[in-house]
Amino acid sequence: MEEIYAKFVSQKISKTRWRPLPPGSLQTAETFATGSWDNEENYVSLWSIGDFGNLDSDGGFEGDHQLLCSIKHHGDVMDLQFFDQERIVAASSTGCVTVFLHHPNNRTLSVSQQWTAAHYHTGPGSPSCSNAPCTGIVCNNPEIVTVGEDGRINLFRADHKEAVRTIDNADSSTLHAVTFLRTPEILTVNSIGQLKIWDFRQQGNEPTQILSLTGDRVPLHCVDRHPNQQHVVATGGQDGMLSIWDVRQGTMPVSLLKAHEAEMWEVHFHPSNPDHLFTCSEDGSLWHWDASTDGPEKSSLFHQGGRNSTFLSHSISNQANVHQSLISSWLSTDPAKDRIEITSLLPNRTLSVNSLDVLGPCLVCGTDAEAIYVTRQLFS
Amino acid sequence: MEEFDGEPTVTWIPGVNSQKKQMCFDWGPGEMLVCETSFNKKEKPQMVASCPFIHIIRKDIDVYSKILRKLFNESHGIFVGLQRIEEELTGKSRKAQLVRVSKNYRSVIRACMEEMHQFAVADKDSASGRQFSSQVSILSAMELIWNLCEILFIEVAPAGPLLLYLLDWVRLHVCEVDNLSADVLGSENPSKHESFWSLVTTLVLQGRLDEARQMLSKEADANPASAGMCRVLGDLMRTMPVLSPGNTQTLTELELRWQHWHEECERHLQDGTFASSPRLESLCKVLLGDDAALLEQKELLSNWYHFLVTRLLYSQPTVKPMDLHLYAQSSLDLFLGGESSPEPLDNILMAAFEFDIHQVIKECSIALSNWWFVAHLTDLLDHCKLLQSHNLYFGSNMREFLLLEYASGLFAHHSLWQLGVDYCDHCPELGRVSLELHIERIPLTTEQKALKVLRVCEQRQMTEQVRSICKILAMKAVRNNRLGSALSWSIRAKDAAFATLVSDRFLRDYCERGCFSDLDLIDNLGPAMMLSDRLTFLGKYREFHRLYGEKRFVDAASLLLSLMTSQIAPRSFWMTLLTDALPLLEQKQVIFSAEQTYELLRCLEDLTSGKPLCGEPDAQQLQDDDIETTKVEMLRLALARNLARSIIKEGSLEGS
């Protein structure tokens, strides 16, 4: 079992995100952002797992992550995404979308841009309009797409004060998450088990395609797109099921995998090694799904040349044999289920694991038990 | 009723003059609301400045400490783990597990204490800094008590090892000596250091004889005149028989050897070996366990339980657990010497030495400002099967009572409610009801939070609460004009009445706008459609529109008819349905058969004959009636024509 460091932080963590590495960098991730929820005062914070040059008595790294800086956030942090190296976009339960700017020199965060009331309700009960929680964000520089409980989709641009495009009543139920399929197409998941694909080139408020789980209408809470194959999408639902979809074919999932015992809050393909998938859930578990085949050339890749070169060798492997391995891993139907190896990453079950993020060999997750877990040796 | 164990504390409400004004209050789960009333005592109303505020009084303020939150969260994990190990293990391994759990709890307290200490040092002078340092001392007292309870109740150390544990206990909590030692040894000439002798004495008092001997050898080097005496004393220290964990010697052997050693010390003192050095002589007296000599070192002992352990070490090393309280009581009396009275902490420790667990818990409950300590300690001791026979005159039993008190403090907190759930789960008798009451009072700010609360309820089959939460969310959605959401929530709650209400809203909107909203939901109702008749109608009616849109007129027509004949459609909607039939009747090809047309006619007659005649119709109503009459006329005409066409068609088909 790899080493996992836990730190209690006195706030319930709703989101954790690694800061992206500069393109072409061979470093491992060392800074991540967190957002808190359900506290009287909520914060967006930046943490570092860098060693700061101080080694402990054994000569090893001090495993704890240290707080770099934090800033108060109005309302629960519902979603958090890095826009670029310095900017973080946060979604609030007050319907506000805020862009925070990190100044690495003096270690502070400041508000650089804000769209208040990006999401709101208009109803007979409320005098004019009341705020609706913004539930999901996805960034693709310079665009930011947000979705909310009001069933609205907003398209923002970092340099525009107003929304570039708004689709009112895009969904009759709550939208829970959003991801880019391929620009300018986005995919949303909602609370009645539907995936909808939207194309910003088209006018009007209709999705271009609707996919759904038949019958049960189980709410979907999270979605992630395969990093290399843009038509492969993974979603997680209220019943803890993991569904893999091929948006090119049919309106039903390619495979449904029994996973957690309660809501799956997040699902992530490993960005550079997409045979690996990570999920976390309300039941307090964090799982690593390994769909890579057992072929000798594969297994040797992970251990070849020691830990430091793992990251590098993965990226090479992706370019080399990305095609066969991927099609056979997530989209192949029946036999795939037997080959997927699942490991649980957290030692003992606690309260809900709300969020996770993976980058290179590093994983971070945050829980309702107010702890942040970090490991830097995912594949060791 | 039992008597009060202490005077109730008085809390002053700022801004309220209780001499002149009356107050009213209301209980909450963990808090109390207090405000001033305008009630007057029949006297001439006095103009006293009134307090315009409603105050919230919280009883468990420690819950709101940011650092203590880590204690609550981390210990929650340990607590849940402890409930799981429960029955599986027996005997030795079980005891080892329980001791490990106890140590985990203590290490969490210590971690918290250390962090608190850092904060206290960081801003020493401010009020918050002082608050931190008072918290530190409370935490350290908690750890001290817990550690003693662990030795006496969980470890259940027998005579012999008992003293070793107690020594560790004292060493852990009277730890200034380590700093002092570093200080002295770091100096240029240790034996000339001003604290040298107090260091040596402290080491001896704590039974750290090896270190004390090293110190003495430094003195011997520096001061050749006393070198001989130092060597003799050092030898005495070296030869003192002690129980070592790996050793197989029996207690009787140890006692015998110890007796010999004791006599040797005695002899040296009698012979006046150390007569020329009062310091060494007093050290020798300490080794003999001489009360007077020990009491001279009161400063260094700093408290009576240190005195007790040192005294036992040098006079009763094989003390039995059962005799402990005798020595404890006399040590306390000797140490305080009638100058001061024992403090709460002294009473708690004394109760522990007396093996009176209930007294320990009671005193702690009174003395400490939070329920965390007693709740977790009691639970752990209960797992050691030490509390079975004790029942309270309220609640179910002590463990449950304390856990629920603690849990209700957590529920009162803005964010810690999730921890409280697990504590309720492990209270078999009243946990469930308590959870039901608390969970309904959690504010549902976002759907995400509501889902988490729902999950808690669903896992425990709390159907009543599930329904109420879904209803709250459905109501919210209706208020925000989110009919789709509202319908989803009422379907989840299986709330037929509310589903009917929402379906009616949909139908009304349709009548007003002429088109459906939220098609993505209505088209995908599936089996959920059967929840209420109105919802079924909504789904079927939408299906009719789809069939019509797809130009499947025959299917559409029979669906439309069946909606009326099967009585699924509400009466008030029949006119709309009949109007929807009009374009079908006017199609080129015949869609409604003769029989179906008769059915339609019957529906129309049912509708019109059932209409009551109003007394005094106003202008608006007259106009409405006018439109209605025209509609009926048109329908009749269309039906008649269709009937004719269908009879001809059916007749010609049969004829051919």
Side-chain angles (χ1 to χ4, degrees):
Chain A
M1 191 59 204
E2 51 265 35
E3 281 178 273
I4 284 205
Y5 295 104
K7 185 175 180 126
F8 286 83
V9 293
S10 293
Q11 47 186 334
K12 288 203 252 185
I13 299 297
S14 57
K15 290 290 158 187
T16 55
R17 296 285 178 255
W18 288 110
R19 182 166 77 184
L21 294 166
S25 161
L26 293 181
Q27 291 172 316
T28 54
E30 58 177 32
T31 309
F32 63 89
T34 62
S36 74
W37 80 285
D38 204 25
N39 297 305
E40 273 169 305
E41 282 180 354
N42 290 295
Y43 292 91
V44 169
S45 314
L46 271 177
W47 306 76
S48 171
I49 55 167
D51 44 67
F52 298 109
N54 52 348
L55 304 173
D56 64 24
S57 52
D58 306 330
F61 291 129
E62 184 75 57
D64 254 2
H65 29 284
Q66 306 293 325
L67 182 67
L68 285 179
C69 49
S70 65
I71 187 166
K72 208 182 274 183
H73 180 266
H74 189 53
D76 295 348
V77 178
M78 302 291 287
D79 201 0
L80 200 66
Q81 297 290 344
F82 271 90
F83 182 74
D84 52 25
Q85 295 272 97
E86 278 85 39
R87 281 179 284 182
I88 311 165
V89 189
S92 165
S93 60
T94 63
C96 178
V97 177
T98 314
V99 182
F100 293 103
L101 183 64
H102 176 222
H103 311 275
N105 299 330
N106 53 0
R107 282 195 180 182
T108 51
L109 279 167
S110 64
V111 175
S112 99
Q113 200 166 2
Q114 200 163 42
W115 294 281
T116 48
H119 291 271
Y120 57 92
H121 291 298
T122 47
S126 47
S128 55
C129 61
S130 62
N131 296 329
C134 173
T135 51
I137 304 180
V138 65
C139 298
N140 188 7
N141 203 344
E143 288 172 334
I144 301 167
V145 177
T146 68
V147 296
E149 269 184 30
D150 55 356
R152 188 172 276 117
I153 300 174
N154 285 312
L155 173 66
F156 296 107
R157 255 174 219 282
D159 43 0
H160 284 53
K161 277 213 167 119
E162 299 297 324
V164 178
R165 173 88 190 271
T166 296
I167 306 178
D168 287 322
N169 266 325
D171 204 303
S172 59
S173 36
T174 298
L175 288 171
H176 280 145
V178 59
T179 185
F180 270 107
L181 216 48
R182 73 198 96 120
T183 28
E185 278 186 327
I186 56 161
L187 186 145
T188 60
V189 293
N190 69 10
S191 64
I192 53 171
Q194 295 170 328
L195 282 78
K196 294 186 182 175
I197 299 172
W198 308 81
D199 189 336
F200 282 122
R201 286 169 299 196
Q202 293 183 3
Q203 295 305 311
N205 290 357
E206 294 301 316
T208 52
Q209 198 183 343
I210 299 184
L211 301 92
S212 66
L213 300 161
T214 41
D216 308 334
R217 307 168 63 254
V218 180
L220 295 174
H221 288 294
C222 51
V223 59
D224 195 30
R225 192 204 64 191
H226 195 288
N228 307 328
Q229 297 193 298
Q230 300 180 326
H231 56 278
V232 179
V233 163
T235 62
Q238 177 153 290
D239 51 0
M241 291 271 241
L242 173 70
S243 323
I244 309 285
W245 308 71
D246 182 347
V247 296
R248 297 174 310 185
Q249 305 174 340
T251 58
M252 305 233 301
V254 179
S255 52
L256 268 173
L257 301 158
K258 182 90 200 83
H260 300 280
E261 285 160 24
E263 285 88 350
M264 185 188 291
W265 291 127
E266 277 193 26
V267 55
H268 286 283
F269 285 103
H270 192 282
S272 53
N273 196 6
D275 278 354
H276 296 260
L277 185 107
F278 299 85
T279 59
C280 64
S281 159
E282 174 74 19
D283 66 9
S285 54
L286 172 67
W287 286 5
H288 175 181
W289 305 64
D290 181 358
S292 56
T293 43
D294 294 322
E297 84 282 0
K298 266 268 162 185
S299 53
S300 66
L301 263 171
F302 290 130
H303 306 293
Q304 166 196 78
R307 204 169 293 153
N308 291 336
S309 63
T310 335
F311 189 67
L312 183 63
S313 56
H314 284 174
S315 41
I316 291 169
S317 86
N318 284 328
Q319 282 155 14
N321 54 4
V322 84
H323 263 315
Q324 298 90 348
S325 75
L326 289 181
I327 288 163
S328 60
S329 63
W330 296 114
L331 285 188
S332 62
T333 44
D334 212 32
K337 288 173 193 168
D338 308 304
R339 286 191 294 106
I340 295 175
E341 205 177 289
I342 304 169
T343 27
S344 174
L345 294 180
L346 289 186
N348 39 14
R349 248 178 212 203
T350 61
L351 295 179
S352 168
V353 183
N354 292 326
S355 179
L356 75 95
D357 199 18
V358 273
L359 186 62
C362 303
L363 179 143
V364 58
C365 71
T367 70
D368 274 345
E370 308 187 347
I372 299 174
Y373 295 86
V374 174
T375 177
R376 294 205 271 180
Q377 289 132 34
L378 259 188
F379 302 109
S380 60
Chain B
M1 283 290 285
E2 278 183 29
E3 289 167 40
F4 286 121
D5 293 307
E7 284 295 305
T9 51
V10 176
T11 309
W12 294 101
I13 312 295
V16 174
N17 184 348
S18 56
Q19 306 282 307
K20 300 260 166 66
K21 288 280 187 175
Q22 305 224 358
M23 284 185 283
C24 64
F25 72 93
D26 194 23
W27 291 109
E31 308 162 319
M32 199 163 82
L33 287 178
V34 173
C35 69
E36 214 178 86
T37 63
S38 53
F39 177 78
N40 274 311
K41 288 182 245 162
K42 293 232 171 109
E43 290 165 18
K44 218 170 80 186
Q46 279 177 307
M47 290 310 285
V48 181
S50 59
C51 173
F53 299 111
I54 296 176
H55 293 271
I56 299 174
I57 297 178
R58 292 165 166 168
K59 59 175 177 182
D60 203 353
I61 49 163
D62 283 354
V63 171
Y64 299 89
S65 154
K66 218 171 160 192
I67 299 168
L68 286 182
R69 265 175 89 157
K70 297 181 187 180
L71 175 73
F72 302 143
N73 273 297
E74 214 168 341
S75 57
H76 164 262
I78 303 173
F79 172 82
V80 173
L82 172 61
Q83 313 305 313
R84 281 196 199 122
I85 66 164
E86 191 48 75
E87 299 308 327
E88 304 158 20
L89 301 160
T90 45
K92 265 221 167 111
S93 63
R94 183 183 166 85
K95 186 174 131 186
Q97 278 277 14
L98 290 169
V99 170
R100 218 194 44 181
V101 168
S102 172
K103 286 192 169 140
N104 285 345
Y105 275 128
R106 283 202 292 124
S107 77
V108 177
I109 302 179
R110 286 203 87 88
C112 210
M113 199 163 85
E114 267 156 38
E115 190 176 348
M116 198 81 92
H117 182 69
Q118 281 170 13
F119 276 90
V121 171
D123 54 355
K124 224 179 264 174
D125 303 314
S126 69
S128 66
R130 275 193 294 281
Q131 206 179 338
F132 281 132
S133 39
S134 86
Q135 287 274 21
V136 171
S137 55
I138 291 171
L139 283 172
S140 108
M142 290 196 323
E143 211 261 336
L144 178 82
I145 300 165
W146 193 301
N147 196 350
L148 184 63
C149 291
E150 179 185 308
I151 295 167
L152 297 177
F153 306 136
I154 304 170
E155 193 84 64
V156 205
L162 175 65
L163 189 73
L164 298 180
Y165 282 116
L166 288 176
L167 263 178
D168 284 339
W169 174 61
V170 161
R171 283 173 196 161
L172 193 63
H173 291 95
V174 185
C175 47
E176 293 85 0
V177 61
D178 294 315
N179 294 333
L180 190 64
S181 164
D183 205 23
V184 170
L185 288 175
S187 72
E188 237 171 69
N189 194 348
S191 62
K192 291 285 178 288
H193 192 281
E194 54 176 354
S195 309
F196 178 79
W197 283 106
S198 59
L199 174 64
V200 177
T201 317
T202 315
L203 288 173
V204 175
L205 290 174
Q206 292 203 355
R208 293 158 72 163
L209 295 180
D210 287 341
E211 289 161 80
R213 269 171 47 219
Q214 284 167 14
M215 289 291 167
L216 279 183
S217 69
K218 292 215 185 328
E219 162 70 6
D221 295 343
N223 190 357
S226 61
M229 281 186 285
C230 285
R231 207 189 57 241
V232 175
L233 194 62
D235 280 345
L236 283 178
M237 288 179 185
R238 190 171 49 80
T239 52
M240 177 177 165
V242 280
L243 195 73
S244 52
N247 215 327
T248 50
Q249 63 182 336
T250 62
L251 271 190
T252 348
E253 274 171 20
L254 179 76
E255 267 167 12
L256 211 64
R257 285 176 47 212
W258 190 84
Q259 208 58 45
H260 280 297
W261 174 80
H262 195 75
E263 279 159 15
E264 201 185 333
C265 293
E266 190 91 60
R267 205 169 50 244
H268 278 292
L269 199 63
Q270 301 292 338
D271 297 349
T273 315
F274 310 112
S276 59
S277 168
R279 279 194 172 118
L280 292 179
E281 188 168 32
S282 80
L283 278 183
C284 184
K285 279 183 185 163
V286 168
L287 290 185
L288 278 166
D290 182 65
D291 284 347
L294 283 173
L295 282 172
E296 272 171 34
Q297 311 298 340
K298 222 173 178 175
E299 289 279 291
L300 296 176
L301 286 167
S302 72
N303 50 50
W304 67 272
Y305 44 90
H306 192 340
F307 172 56
L308 163 70
V309 175
T310 310
R311 195 170 158 223
L312 288 173
L313 174 68
Y314 296 118
S315 60
Q316 283 292 333
T318 55
V319 64
K320 291 189 189 65
M322 280 308 124
D323 300 332
L324 213 47
H325 71 276
L326 297 174
Y327 295 102
Q329 190 60 55
S330 67
S331 301
L332 178 62
D333 293 343
L334 279 171
F335 196 81
L336 295 181
E339 288 164 26
S340 53
S341 52
E343 294 190 4
L345 178 62
D346 303 329
N347 292 333
I348 295 167
L349 295 177
M350 188 56 75
F353 284 124
E354 283 165 6
F355 285 84
D356 187 346
I357 295 175
H358 298 114
Q359 191 63 24
V360 172
I361 290 163
K362 187 170 155 185
E363 298 270 353
C364 289
S365 306
I366 296 168
L368 294 169
S369 58
N370 63 52
W371 290 108
W372 179 88
F373 179 79
V374 274
H376 287 86
L377 183 63
T378 309
D379 173 61
L380 181 60
L381 294 178
D382 188 67
H383 279 91
C384 302
K385 314 237 182 279
L386 291 166
L387 290 168
Q388 270 115 339
S389 60
H390 193 75
N391 276 308
L392 299 175
Y393 59 93
F394 48 83
S396 56
N397 61 47
M398 187 153 73
R399 170 182 173 273
E400 234 188 89
F401 174 78
L402 293 171
L403 284 177
L404 289 179
E405 278 301 304
Y406 173 62
S408 64
L410 294 175
F411 274 109
H413 187 274
H414 189 268
S415 354
L416 294 174
W417 57 273
Q418 278 169 307
L419 301 181
V421 174
D422 280 312
Y423 289 95
C424 287
D425 275 352
H426 294 289
C427 293
E429 221 164 313
L430 295 173
R432 167 96 184 193
V433 265
S434 167
L435 180 61
E436 284 172 0
L437 289 174
H438 281 301
I439 206 101
E440 285 179 339
R441 289 168 170 76
I442 294 170
L444 306 172
T445 43
T446 63
E447 279 192 14
Q448 176 111 348
K449 185 167 177 184
L451 285 172
K452 285 182 184 256
V453 180
L454 261 182
R455 174 59 63 180
V456 167
C457 296
E458 279 175 351
Q459 274 170 349
R460 290 159 185 81
Q461 276 97 38
M462 293 159 62
T463 40
E464 200 48 51
Q465 282 69 27
V466 169
R467 198 157 31 209
S468 110
I469 291 166
C470 289
K471 189 140 195 167
I472 291 168
L473 291 166
M475 276 308 289
K476 261 191 186 167
V478 165
R479 234 176 284 140
N480 289 327
N481 239 353
R482 303 274 304 146
L483 294 185
S485 252
L487 192 55
S488 302
W489 283 117
S490 42
I491 290 172
R492 181 149 181 198
K494 299 202 169 52
D495 186 340
F498 206 82
T500 302
L501 191 123
V502 178
S503 310
D504 277 340
R505 277 281 299 268
F506 268 117
L507 292 171
R508 209 179 68 204
D509 284 2
Y510 168 74
C511 290
E512 281 169 11
R513 284 190 228 141
C515 65
F516 278 108
S517 57
D518 302 337
L519 287 180
D520 52 350
L521 174 66
I522 301 173
D523 282 345
N524 287 290
L525 283 172
M529 203 193 279
M530 309 312 280
L531 181 60
S532 92
D533 276 358
R534 200 60 47 84
L535 188 58
T536 317
F537 171 66
L538 177 67
K540 289 288 175 193
Y541 185 51
R542 161 64 194 154
E543 198 179 321
F544 160 74
H545 278 263
R546 212 177 52 224
L547 291 173
Y548 186 85
E550 290 166 6
K551 299 216 181 325
R552 291 162 62 188
F553 295 133
V554 178
D555 294 335
S558 57
L559 178 60
L560 187 71
L561 190 59
S562 72
L563 283 177
M564 280 185 283
T565 51
S566 63
Q567 307 285 334
I568 290 177
R571 269 297 169 110
S572 57
F573 216 76
W574 279 26
M575 199 37 131
T576 319
L577 294 180
L578 286 167
T579 322
D580 283 331
L582 259 181
L584 288 171
L585 292 167
E586 300 291 345
Q587 290 289 326
K588 265 199 190 114
Q589 75 269 43
V590 179
I591 293 159
F592 285 103
S593 68
E595 199 167 330
Q596 285 177 319
T597 320
Y598 283 127
E599 297 264 4
L600 279 175
L601 270 168
R602 195 175 311 127
C603 291
L604 183 64
E605 289 316 306
D606 270 8
L607 200 61
T608 44
S609 64
K611 218 158 209 164
L613 288 163
C614 311
E616 288 287 311
D618 55 28
Q620 178 65 40
Q621 209 176 341
L622 272 175
Q623 201 191 343
D624 282 354
D625 279 357
D626 226 28
I627 298 171
E628 194 85 332
T629 328
T630 333
K631 244 188 214 170
V632 173
E633 290 303 319
M634 275 170 63
L635 269 170
R636 287 214 171 106
L637 185 63
L639 283 168
R641 273 177 29 198
N642 191 68
L643 187 59
R645 280 163 58 195
S646 60
I647 291 173
I648 292 171
K649 187 188 166 200
E650 280 160 34
S652 59
L653 271 177
E654 269 164 336
S656 64

